[in-house]
């Protein structure tokens, strides 16, 4: 079964440093999502792409976070500079369409900011 | 803003007892999805409800979508230890065209005592 690939699996960085996460969705999936999940809470939508266009990034802290999906396939999420409060699991998910398809999640990147 | 509230946050039951989690949105949803996340894992899709008043069953799991498409519930009959995990509802809010953003509830963590 096809999977969403994410890397790295774990990342430890010092505050004020830059970090980047990569996601490769399931082939043919037009919609790509980045979620942040703090332990014990539900996934929080950071940004949603439809092909290469941003559908929603209303919860993305744009002063430090950026996301791109240049060719409408894989995507990168960047944080610069990282803050202690950014420590969380960053989950990427993809779906065939943006309205009625189930999400397939990757295994996530566990970020620890020291 | 667009939020999905889910209660209770935790539920401890004896094996064989029933379990229910409830989900509520302040605005009408395009559809609602349910996911299960095992400890250390990522959310896995269970089901999607689209129609007003829809009821779907998966073995011991019963999912309902309210008439106003603002609330939903998941009921598990005769819980088993394999049901342990966190159950999330995720409401789809229409954005534009054929796209809607998916907002997750806070989740209900189910513990089952054998």
């Amino acid at each position: 079964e096809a999977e969403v690939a994410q890397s790295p699996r774990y990342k430890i960085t010092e505050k004020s440093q830059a970090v980047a996460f990569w996601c490769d969705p399931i082939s043919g999936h037009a919609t790509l999502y980045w979620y942040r999940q703090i332990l014990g809470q539900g996934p929080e939508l950071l940004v949603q792409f439809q092909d290469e266009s941003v559908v929603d990034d209303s919860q993305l802290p744009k002063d430090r976070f950026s996301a791109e999906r240049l060719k409408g396939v894989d995507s990168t999420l960047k944080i610069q500079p990282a803050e202690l409060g950014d420590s969380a699991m960053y989950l990427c998910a993809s779906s065939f369409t943006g309205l009625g398809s189930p999400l397939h999640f990757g295994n996530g990147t566990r970020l620890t900011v020291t | 803003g667009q939020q999905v509230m889910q209660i209770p946050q935790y539920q401890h039951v004896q094996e064989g007892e029933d379990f229910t989690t409830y989900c509520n949105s302040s605005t009408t949803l395009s559809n609602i999805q349910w996911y299960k996340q095992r400890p250390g894992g990522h959310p896995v899709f269970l089901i999607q409800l689209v129609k007003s008043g829809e009821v779907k069953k998966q073995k011991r799991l019963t999912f309902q979508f309210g008439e106003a498409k603002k609330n939903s519930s998941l009921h598990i009959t005769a819980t088993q230890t394999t049901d342990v995990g966190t159950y999330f509802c995720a409401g789809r809010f229409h954005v534009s065209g054929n796209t809607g953003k998916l907002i997750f509830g806070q989740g209900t963590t189910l513990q089952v005592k054998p």
Side-chain angles (χ1 to χ4, degrees), chain A residues 8-10 19 26 37 50 53 57 86-87 90 95 97-98 101-102:
Chain A
R9 188 72 191 272
Y10 303 94
V19 292
I26 293 173
Q37 187 174 27
Q50 184 70 22
S53 301
D57 62 358
D86 296 332
S87 295
Y90 289 82
S95 63
T97 69
S101 301

Side-chain angles (χ1 to χ4, degrees), chain A residues 33 35 45 48 55-56 58-59 98-99, chain B residues 2 91-95 99-103:
Chain A
Y33 313 74
Y35 285 90
L45 181 65
Q48 180 175 331
V55 169
D56 186 272
S58 57
Q59 299 304 309
L99 196 57
Chain B
Q2 292 153 333
R92 183 80 71 173
F93 295 86
H94 184 253
V95 174
T99 303
K101 63 182 190 179
L102 197 67
I103 304 298

